[in-house]
Amino acid sequence: MSAPAAAAFRPPDASQVAAYLEAFPRRSPSAWAARAPLVLLLAVVAATLIAGFIDGPGATLLPWLALGAMVTGFVWLGRRNRDRLRLAAGVERVSELIARRHHASALRQAWMMLPATVRLPALHVRLVAAMGQALAGVRRYNAALRCYDDVVGDLQSDHPITVQIHIARALAQLHTEHLSDADDTLRRLRGSVDIEGHHPTAAAYATARLLQAIKTHHYADALDDLADSSTLNDDPWLKRLRPLGVEAGYAYGMLTLCYAELASRAEPDAAGGLWSAARRWWGRATLLLSGAAVTYRLPELRRWVEPGGELHDAATPNPFPPRGPTPAGATGLMSPASWSAVAPRGIVGTAAPEGGGVFS
Amino acid sequence: MSDATPPASTSPTSASPPARAAGPRRTLPPFSAARLHRRLALDAAVRFAAVAAAVVASAVLLWLGGPAGTVLAVALVIGVLFGLNASAASALRMLPMLGPMTLVDPDAAEAALAAALRRRPLPGWVRLALVGRWAALRHRQRRFDESADAAQAVVAKLRRPLLPMRPQLLLLIAEARLETGHVDAAHAALAEVIQLPRDLQENLQHLALQTRYELAAGHAAWAVQHAGNRIAWAELMPAPLSATVHAMLATAADRTQHSRLASWLWARVELLAPPDAVAPLREGRWTGEPVVVPTLDLESGSPEVPQSGITDA
């Protein structure tokens, strides 16, 4: 399967991703290519030694021919190395596009680059993981899940980036209603993530747990996880989620939803405090992100925050209204400490419906 | 002359004389641009002399020696090529490790750097790459005068394989000059960076330093002029740096009487930064960890996704 250089690119669906990954699986690098410099050197030494035992013009020419072959070989190796560096730079560009919310462009580039990386497993893994992020960014969660499933087996356990990929996978599982799989993924992470720490990975884990509680309608349990919902003590959440930067706005949106759902079911005397907590969290969420960006990722929130909803007037006015397409993200919670893999925070363009082609 | 001379006594309280016999020095001497230039010239002269001697000797062997002379001539050429590149190869192998070491264990990084710089004769670009690391190490250690001098010396002599390092070195110079109060010198470096191709990390670092420069130089209005765009970029930064840039923009908005913008930015700062970090930001103390963390890698600076089992050759 080759990727034609077409301008019109639509995000692939899960079956297309699976077929593509099957067509271009990563392979171990060639053992011969790895040993080429040593082989070249040994060949020259052998030719030089042989020349010492023979007579005639061959004795004079052979060492020089071998030396010429060695120089040619090293030039070829250098070119091959430069090609590899170009590919690595391409993967880096894909990461940057994701960080800058250009998920569709990132996906297109990653898709086209993938065949060239099959003999470079480390780059292949990075590219597939980036494809997963970009697919989640355009809400193709099933397709993203295929990508994450492809890479998780080849990752070192306990490495921060590995943990973040697992968290992104759990989020995709939650969005696709694979709730027991997500529970399994999050349960396994419990030992490897310092969930009490104040770093992006712990914050991303806390957010995944929040989304899990929302998807399973255990709103009170979500709040009890960290803060005491009876006293509406929200400082621990701020402390926990702060390392996500503005991305924490999505998590604040989740807290808004939890409080709003609880308030709508509470007795009138308890509902007031819960509504006021929901308003406070929605104010914080919209201080960091636009309301549209939060509800893009969390559609369940729309009934409370859109016109007619109880929280409609609780949003913080933004002096810089969003320009261009609606920013929104999906797996932006995969926000590592490293710069280049910084979280995606939105998409450019509207979400494509599930199904449909890759190049059209 | 060596960049890494034998050690003095390691303990400041020790009365013992400099321990010349105690082994190679594990720390770097104060940086000197003149010494770097001498080292580069000496390296180039030694390498040229070795190649010239090999060529002359090969010619003589070919002329005098028959088949045995040919074998010896080829062996000589190969020997000189490998001999000259062996020191460079080991220094190059160390180069990618020095970045993470600088962050995790600066003392170990300094010892490794001192060992690498002792090798000779190094190709000029390899020595310059190592001195770039030296600048990054001193920057990390907040020895800003020395880091700026070392980076400046490297930038002045940058050549082809090292050109991707240029924006990072200039950003390092800009931050070091801002830290030491040389605002004009910082501006010169920032103005040069803006003309170079930059990756996302360099763009974000440039934004942070440019905003800081504008506040230091009394140009708060410039910072506010494109606040919307700057905020959009600041949102891509890690939380602590994002908070700092938001605080700088809020200060600029305060100074230019944009009170609504200022209060909105300060509210964001309070969400992005822990409470104990907000007070220093309100007082205009931007300095924490250095903004510029140069990777200075000659290839892609991104972290590899860790794998088990299979790795690239």
Side-chain angles (χ1 to χ4, degrees):
Chain A
M1 189 187 303
S2 67
F9 176 83
R10 283 194 294 148
D13 61 25
S15 61
Q16 286 170 319
V17 168
Y20 202 59
L21 293 177
E22 202 173 321
F24 300 110
R26 55 188 161 274
R27 302 191 180 103
S28 295
S30 158
W32 278 110
R35 290 175 193 141
L38 185 63
V39 170
L40 278 171
L41 183 62
L42 290 176
V44 174
V45 171
T48 308
L49 289 175
I50 290 167
F53 294 102
I54 59 175
D55 293 325
T60 307
L61 279 178
L62 193 57
W64 295 109
L65 286 175
L67 191 61
M70 188 182 79
V71 171
T72 309
F74 277 113
V75 168
W76 175 78
L77 284 172
R79 192 167 297 164
R80 185 171 154 268
N81 202 36
R82 274 197 300 279
D83 288 344
R84 209 185 119 187
L85 292 181
R86 256 197 297 276
L87 276 174
V91 175
E92 188 63 18
R93 272 197 299 279
V94 169
S95 299
E96 287 193 3
L97 284 170
I98 291 172
R100 295 175 60 191
R101 312 172 191 181
H102 299 297
H103 289 114
S105 305
L107 190 53
R108 181 170 179 269
Q109 282 201 19
W111 188 269
M112 295 179 74
M113 280 177 62
L114 193 74
T117 62
V118 290
R119 286 277 181 195
L120 302 165
L123 283 185
H124 191 282
V125 166
R126 279 183 63 191
L127 213 47
V128 175
M131 276 172 60
Q133 274 187 286
L135 283 162
V138 291
R139 295 204 306 196
R140 295 269 181 149
Y141 295 114
N142 276 314
L145 204 47
R146 296 284 176 139
C147 293
Y148 294 137
D149 288 346
D150 183 72
V151 299
V152 285
D154 285 333
L155 298 169
Q156 285 172 8
S157 59
D158 292 350
H159 191 284
I161 294 178
T162 304
V163 172
Q164 285 152 16
I165 289 175
H166 280 292
I167 293 173
R169 182 164 169 252
L171 287 167
Q173 287 167 334
L174 288 167
H175 280 294
T176 51
E177 307 294 334
H178 292 103
L179 300 181
S180 61
D181 291 343
D183 186 56
D184 196 35
T185 305
L186 290 173
R187 204 185 297 273
R188 278 188 211 159
L189 280 175
R190 217 167 278 166
S192 55
V193 183
D194 168 21
I195 51 177
E196 300 302 323
H198 299 293
H199 48 83
T201 306
Y205 181 82
T207 314
R209 293 273 299 157
L210 265 178
L211 184 62
Q212 186 187 28
I214 287 168
K215 292 289 180 185
T216 55
H217 306 285
H218 290 123
Y219 305 107
D221 292 352
L223 300 176
D224 285 340
D225 248 13
L226 202 60
D228 179 355
S229 59
S230 62
T231 59
L232 304 174
N233 177 13
D234 53 23
D235 280 352
W237 279 112
L238 282 179
K239 205 170 173 183
R240 175 66 55 84
L241 298 171
R242 187 172 281 126
L244 291 174
V246 294
E247 192 78 358
Y250 293 112
Y252 299 162
M254 291 178 196
L255 288 166
T256 307
L257 180 62
C258 289
Y259 278 112
E261 291 288 348
L262 288 174
S264 68
R265 293 158 200 193
E267 295 297 322
D269 54 335
L274 292 167
W275 278 121
S276 110
R279 294 175 73 80
R280 191 166 58 246
W281 282 113
W282 186 237
R284 285 169 177 157
T286 49
L287 181 60
L288 296 180
L289 293 165
S290 73
V294 180
T295 53
Y296 177 86
R297 199 189 290 182
L298 203 61
E300 298 92 330
L301 199 50
R302 284 197 181 125
R303 63 183 281 228
W304 303 115
V305 299
E306 285 187 345
E310 279 79 351
L311 305 175
H312 176 54
D313 58 346
T316 305
N318 185 342
F320 298 103
R323 291 160 297 176
T326 306
T331 58
L333 300 166
M334 192 178 135
S335 177
S338 67
W339 283 78
S340 58
V342 72
R345 285 183 237 283
I347 64 155
V348 171
T350 51
E354 284 284 348
V358 175
F359 287 92
S360 58
Chain B
M1 188 188 322
S2 167
D3 281 322
T5 49
S9 174
T10 51
S11 165
T13 55
S14 167
S16 62
R20 280 196 165 273
R25 182 176 182 141
R26 291 181 58 80
T27 56
L28 293 161
F31 177 76
S32 154
R35 185 166 48 213
L36 171 65
H37 294 159
R38 282 197 299 272
R39 285 296 314 170
L40 288 169
L42 190 61
D43 284 344
V46 170
R47 292 174 70 81
F48 178 80
V51 171
V55 169
V56 171
S58 299
V60 170
L61 284 167
L62 287 172
W63 186 41
L64 295 177
T70 304
V71 171
L72 282 176
V74 171
L76 185 65
V77 169
I78 293 172
V80 169
L81 282 179
F82 276 85
L84 285 180
N85 285 310
S87 57
S90 71
L92 276 175
R93 267 198 304 275
M94 192 178 287
L95 211 52
M97 288 183 278
L98 285 171
M101 274 169 80
T102 299
L103 297 177
V104 176
D105 187 351
D107 291 341
E110 183 159 357
L113 202 49
L117 283 166
R118 260 197 310 274
R119 296 176 196 282
R120 65 181 77 167
L122 289 173
W125 68 273
V126 174
R127 186 170 294 280
L128 286 171
L130 290 168
V131 175
R133 282 265 160 243
W134 186 343
L137 174 71
R138 291 296 184 241
H139 200 73
R140 181 73 186 168
Q141 294 168 328
R142 304 186 66 83
R143 291 164 64 173
F144 292 113
D145 277 323
E146 196 176 338
S147 77
D149 288 346
Q152 198 86 59
V154 177
V155 165
K157 288 200 164 281
L158 274 188
R159 57 188 81 169
R160 194 148 191 282
L162 302 180
L163 287 180
M165 290 167 50
R166 192 177 187 87
Q168 292 187 40
L169 289 169
L170 287 168
L171 287 167
L172 187 149
I173 293 168
E175 183 166 39
R177 297 303 188 204
L178 281 170
E179 288 283 349
T180 51
H182 297 98
V183 179
D184 289 344
H187 176 253
L190 289 169
E192 199 174 338
V193 175
I194 202 84
Q195 296 169 24
L196 299 172
R198 303 174 302 280
D199 64 19
L200 179 65
Q201 177 181 351
E202 289 155 2
N203 263 328
L204 297 179
Q205 291 172 351
H206 180 265
L207 170 74
L209 294 176
Q210 179 72 26
T211 310
R212 188 173 162 194
Y213 157 74
E214 285 164 357
L215 285 173
H219 302 310
W222 294 1
V224 177
Q225 200 172 4
H226 303 292
N229 199 28
R230 291 193 182 194
I231 290 165
W233 281 104
E235 289 177 355
L236 302 179
M237 297 172 179
L241 183 58
S242 183
T244 304
V245 173
H246 273 82
M248 288 181 198
L249 291 171
T251 304
D254 275 332
R255 288 184 192 171
T256 52
Q257 317 299 324
H258 290 87
S259 54
R260 186 165 157 260
L261 174 62
S263 61
W264 182 76
L265 285 165
W266 281 122
R268 278 188 141 203
V269 172
E270 281 167 12
L271 282 186
L272 292 168
D276 55 341
V278 174
L281 291 175
R282 280 192 181 274
E283 290 162 14
R285 283 185 274 141
W286 320 124
T287 52
E289 290 288 302
V291 169
V292 182
V293 186
T295 54
L296 299 181
D297 287 334
L298 304 180
E299 53 187 85
S300 168
S302 63
E304 292 288 297
V305 169
Q307 283 185 278
S308 60
I310 47 176
T311 52
D312 287 350

